[in-house]
Amino acid sequence: MASSVYLCLLRAVFLVCFVNPLIQGLSGDANVVQNPHHELEENLTGLPIVTFKWHHVQTPYLVIIWVFVAGLAKLSVIELNHHVTSVIPESGLLIILGFILGGIVWGAGKAQTFKLLPPTFFYYLLPQIILDASYFMPNKLFFSNLGAILIYAIFGTCWNAATVGLSLWGCYEAGAMGNLDIGLLQFLLFGSLIAAVDPVAVIAVFEEVHVNEVLFILVFGESLLNDGVTVVLYNVFDAFVALGGPKIDAAEIFKGIFSFVVVAFGGSFLGVVFAILLSLLTRCTKHIQIIEAGFVFVVGYLAYLTAEMLSLSAILSITFCGICCQKYVNANMDEKSVTTVRHAMKVLANGSETMIFVFLGVTAIDTEIWVWNTGFILLTLLFVFIYRIIGVFLLTWMLNKFRLVPIEVIDQVVMSYGGLRGAVAYGLAAMLDEDKIPEKNLMISTTLIVVYFTVILQGLTMKPLVQWLKVKRAAHSDLKLIEKLNNRAFDHILAAVEDICGRIGDNWWTRGWNRFEENYISWLLMKPKARRNRDYLFSIFHKLNLEDAVNYVSEGERQGSLGFIRSDEAANVDFKKQFDSEFTDVMPDIMVDMSNYELEIENVSVTSIVKDTIPSVSLDIHGHDRKNAVDDINAHHLLQQHLYRSRKNHRHKYSRSHFSINQSEDEVQEIFQRTMRSRLESFKSAKMGVNPAKKITKHHKKELTHKMANGHPDGTGHLYGDEVDSAVGSETGAIRGTFMRDMYTVGAGIENPVFLPDMDSPTHSSLPWLMETEAVAPSQRAQRRLPWTPNRLRRLAPMRISTCSTDSFLMADLEEHEEQPQTDHEEM
Amino acid sequence: MGSTSSTLLKIPNVEVLMQETGFSPAHIIRLHDRFKALDKKGRGHLCPQDFGAIKELAMNPIGDRIIGAFFSPGKETVDFHTFVKILAHFRPVDKNRPKEPNSPEPINSRSNKLRFAFQLYDQDKDGKISRDELLKVLRAMLGMQVTEEQLESIADRTIQEADLDRDDAISFEEFRKVSPEILHSRCFIKAPVIMLMERDC
């Protein structure tokens, strides 16, 4: 809820900040924006009540309309895609839709008033896409394949540019294109702009195809980095063209190469600097959490613009900024801000991606730009396609000599086929200077045709190709703790084996870097608090737990109730089951001897205990089947009596800088005290058996209080959640040693089974009569395993479903049969 | 190198060893050199102290377990044959090896690799990773970063994920099931040491 509100806000910011100047680029008739007062003053004859002020709002209005239209286009494309099956990639459909829109505009005005102009594209549409891609880059995968990615990005791009340019020039000299005013340098310039594989197009297609992760990271990383490389290359050749052919000598060429290196690495370095800045910044945003998410965007954009200003590679700069900062930023920021950044980033990137594709289509419907030269266009298509394949195979062949896991032939085919050209090529082509390159329009139309050809046709055939070649797909697996644990262990093992063999290998470097990172970089860039509990395994664990909790609640709600239903039978059933399974679990032989005795005890005393006191609230999702009106009333009554009634008068409904309108500290304190009091009363009134000290919920409570102490105002809607937690906690602390179930007598407040650990696990609850004889006491094992936490939730839900609506007295007989469905549920 | 054959001759039963482990003569020589370097006193076998002298290994959180894996129970020393055989676990799986139904499973098969990892957890060698054993490994690897309670709950959850027969311990079968193919390819095919050696030779 909160995050969606925030999203709207950010979307608005996006529209205002990023896209606003868009239309100035988009609308060719920028001079339409006249002085708006001019007309008004002339016609002013009386006081107008309402006036039509189109010119006031024209620019932003058009931008918004186009954004809106692009959004609608995406919507319809997605909806359509379900039906047209997912044969046609989204990007292709968007371009086709752009054709239609462009046709409408052209039909209305007989001229194309809207087109994608380079400044719009490079300053307002591209940065967020690159930032998004790099910010979500799987870092480990990226860096472990960095060598290959760099080789592809740098040498592959240079190879493409050079070969395409030279071959075209050769064909031109041979007379395949008729009479054109193009020299060798111009051909090379064209080659460099057409060389870049476009990340937007590639990701859009590859994401739908789900190839294996190494292939994905290679294509993705390559396309991301080679954009930067292309732009640099383009600038170098552009400078050469400006210089003119005769003036170029060896020194100039050397300078060109040098500038290439400086621009590319300088840009990357600048990105790293900004990443450090951003990480440091988020270290100290504790008190302005509401805007800390914004910093990521602002600093990222700043990295881009600064690099542009210093004529370094802006794309590389923002790429490395995103890649390097993600870890520290995510650790430093509040969890909510992290979510906000994640969502907002996707909104921005998806939005501009859609805009780009739509406008690539719209731009095409314009008679002015189309210059047809069959030779040039067809040869370009051919060379782009062929040299990509040759380049990939050549580079992979070299790489495979050094790679531990060679890249397979099939993967190479897909990689070379995935050489989609996109908006970057078009943007660069549109940036060409018509004075220096007379055939600019030919280049633009060729670029557009290459883009359409690759995005639509290759995109279309990519999926069948991948299926036909049986490319190793991404193995989809659930996030598992044990997997991560094993990965970690294997890392250590391999490092150790390396030591034993006395070789310095990959793992040695990885480990050295990790140690350095942990000791120095994290120390510098991370909050001390974040550093403390940032262990990867633990965060995975945390994430899984959160997921389970959410699943659990939504599952409950899907079933028609949250399942917090009071029910005697259910309580009884649970109780009995626990009892039995504990016994079969712990002491099978005693169980046999004493079974009669126990069953009797159980049937009599357990039920009587439960019935005498207020019956326990039990989680029984199907319980509402047999829940009767009395229960309802009882529950309602109980809630009325014991829920903390909040004081409404001192609360604001709106807060400028916080989402949650939270109870004050006093209130939490009061809830705690009230709960304690009632606990104490119930303790006095019900001294039953003696229990061993339970620290069951200690862990949970600690976490909770910890959270609250941090001053996160995150207690929205946890009104009774807090009470229960403190209640359970206080019980374990102050009044340990009392029969659990008895604790929840009148005045005990609401029991939320989620937080009642003894209902989760069958083994650890110890009943009073068990305590009387040493022999029957829960074994060492049960004791040792006490710290049950809500991590049992995963088990919880299916277990309850399977036990529903079983009569308590049948349960004893059904013991064995009952185990079976449980495990079935588990495995499902 | 002219000394190749002469070094090989010094190692007893070198053919059997090569056949069992799949190492090339060059590998064997390299490993033999390393073995001699570790064996400072020249006794022809290594003892745990020799391994402990490797500085990086001493800093490895599960280093002592890995050292322990070289020594079969009750034995204080490891000779060259065993040394090589254990390192053979880390050879990449040969994809092109023809499948002979009669031949014994090679040391570097997936299952043997996993077994090696498994026994690092299973210190009491009862064929199961108990909660305590897991907890010890976790403690070693996570160290100071998390509290004891967090460690315990992580251990609980981990066991719960893998534990199919609900005995609160992870058997090897269970361990194998939860170690997906991807893990195998990422960590064990890559077995960098041996590959790097190959390039060296």
Side-chain angles (χ1 to χ4, degrees), chain B:
Chain B
M1 276 193 266
S3 63
T4 304
S5 51
S6 61
T7 318
L8 274 184
L9 286 178
K10 272 186 247 164
I11 307 164
N13 289 332
V14 71
E15 282 80 20
V16 181
L17 190 63
M18 277 177 353
Q19 203 190 345
E20 273 179 28
T21 57
F23 280 124
S24 69
H27 285 148
I28 298 279
I29 289 169
R30 211 197 134 82
L31 288 175
H32 194 248
D33 288 348
R34 179 66 183 166
F35 185 80
K36 278 194 293 190
L38 288 177
D39 179 21
K40 289 200 180 67
K41 292 176 192 141
R43 286 166 302 190
H45 56 75
L46 299 179
C47 55
Q49 287 78 15
D50 292 326
F51 284 104
I54 306 171
K55 206 176 82 212
E56 283 85 9
L57 198 56
M59 285 162 75
N60 196 318
I62 53 172
D64 48 344
R65 284 162 187 267
I66 292 160
I67 296 173
F70 279 84
F71 299 92
S72 46
K75 269 184 142 181
E76 286 294 298
T77 59
V78 54
D79 60 3
F80 182 62
H81 271 241
T82 327
F83 181 73
V84 173
K85 268 188 205 160
I86 284 170
L87 287 179
H89 282 106
F90 296 92
R91 277 188 60 234
V93 178
D94 320 307
K95 276 193 182 145
N96 306 325
R97 177 184 280 249
K99 283 234 167 174
E100 295 162 36
N102 315 337
S103 66
E105 208 179 354
I107 295 181
N108 58 346
S109 72
R110 168 176 152 79
S111 141
N112 274 337
K113 283 174 178 187
L114 283 176
R115 193 170 282 285
F116 184 86
F118 182 78
Q119 56 153 347
L120 292 184
Y121 291 96
D122 181 26
Q123 291 288 292
D124 62 2
K125 309 245 184 300
D126 64 347
K128 275 177 182 175
I129 304 174
S130 70
R131 185 171 178 275
D132 265 355
E133 283 166 345
L134 187 65
L135 208 52
K136 272 181 198 144
V137 177
L138 277 172
R139 202 174 291 138
M141 290 203 305
L142 300 191
M144 298 284 100
Q145 285 170 339
V146 284
T147 66
E148 188 64 25
E149 276 153 353
Q150 286 168 336
L151 273 184
E152 282 179 23
S153 42
I154 290 179
D156 280 336
R157 171 131 202 168
T158 310
I159 288 189
Q160 182 199 324
E161 272 179 0
D163 187 17
L164 300 175
D165 59 4
R166 305 270 203 106
D167 60 350
D168 289 314
I170 304 174
S171 68
F172 181 64
E173 266 313 300
E174 288 162 350
F175 186 75
R176 196 162 67 173
K177 271 187 193 137
V178 292
S179 307
E181 202 67 30
I182 192 146
L183 181 111
H184 162 223
S185 64
R186 190 184 299 157
C187 294
F188 271 122
I189 281 192
K190 224 177 156 180
V193 205
I194 311 295
M195 291 292 287
L196 281 168
M197 276 172 34
E198 233 153 51
R199 220 175 296 139
D200 254 21
C201 303

Side-chain angles (χ1 to χ4, degrees), chain A residues 155-175:
Chain A
F155 294 104
T157 310
C158 293
W159 159 267
N160 278 350
T163 49
V164 171
L166 287 175
S167 306
L168 281 175
W169 179 68
C171 291
Y172 168 68
E173 289 292 304

Side-chain angles (χ1 to χ4, degrees), chain A residues 554-570:
Chain A
S554 54
E555 171 69 9
E557 280 173 339
R558 200 175 57 77
Q559 301 276 351
S561 82
L562 252 184
F564 303 135
I565 293 159
R566 300 165 63 249
S567 143
D568 297 359
E569 290 85 1

Side-chain angles (χ1 to χ4, degrees), chain A residues 42 153 185 221 248 253 281 343 377 438 577 664 713 724 752 820:
Chain A
E42 275 180 9
L185 277 176
I248 296 169
I253 292 176
L281 205 63
H343 285 235
I377 290 171
K577 210 179 85 244
S664 61
V724 170
N752 187 335
Q820 204 51 48

Side-chain angles (χ1 to χ4, degrees), chain A residues 46 218 501 569 633 654 698:
Chain A
L218 284 180
C501 289
E569 290 85 1
I633 293 164
Y654 170 80
K698 209 168 146 204

Side-chain angles (χ1 to χ4, degrees), chain A residues 80-202:
Chain A
L80 206 70
N81 232 4
H82 287 310
H83 303 299
V84 186
T85 63
S86 39
V87 195
I88 310 172
E90 202 187 302
S91 41
L93 275 178
L94 282 173
I95 290 184
I96 293 170
L97 219 85
F99 289 155
I100 299 170
L101 285 174
I104 295 170
V105 172
W106 194 78
K110 289 288 167 212
Q112 191 52 272
T113 21
F114 302 98
K115 53 176 123 179
L116 191 61
L117 292 183
T120 318
F121 173 70
F122 282 108
Y123 292 144
Y124 305 112
L125 291 176
L126 190 61
Q128 56 262 40
I129 295 179
I130 306 281
L131 185 64
D132 169 74
S134 55
Y135 190 78
F136 293 104
M137 176 76 73
N139 259 351
K140 198 179 171 191
L141 209 56
F142 178 77
F143 282 111
S144 56
N145 289 297
L146 187 63
I149 291 171
L150 282 180
I151 299 254
Y152 283 125
I154 296 174
F155 294 104
T157 310
C158 293
W159 159 267
N160 278 350
T163 49
V164 171
L166 287 175
S167 306
L168 281 175
W169 179 68
C171 291
Y172 168 68
E173 289 292 304
M177 299 170 200
N179 204 8
L180 286 176
D181 187 9
I182 304 184
L184 172 61
L185 277 176
Q186 276 93 334
F187 271 119
L188 284 175
L189 180 61
F190 178 69
S192 73
L193 73 86
I194 207 84
V197 174
D198 186 65
V200 186
V202 166

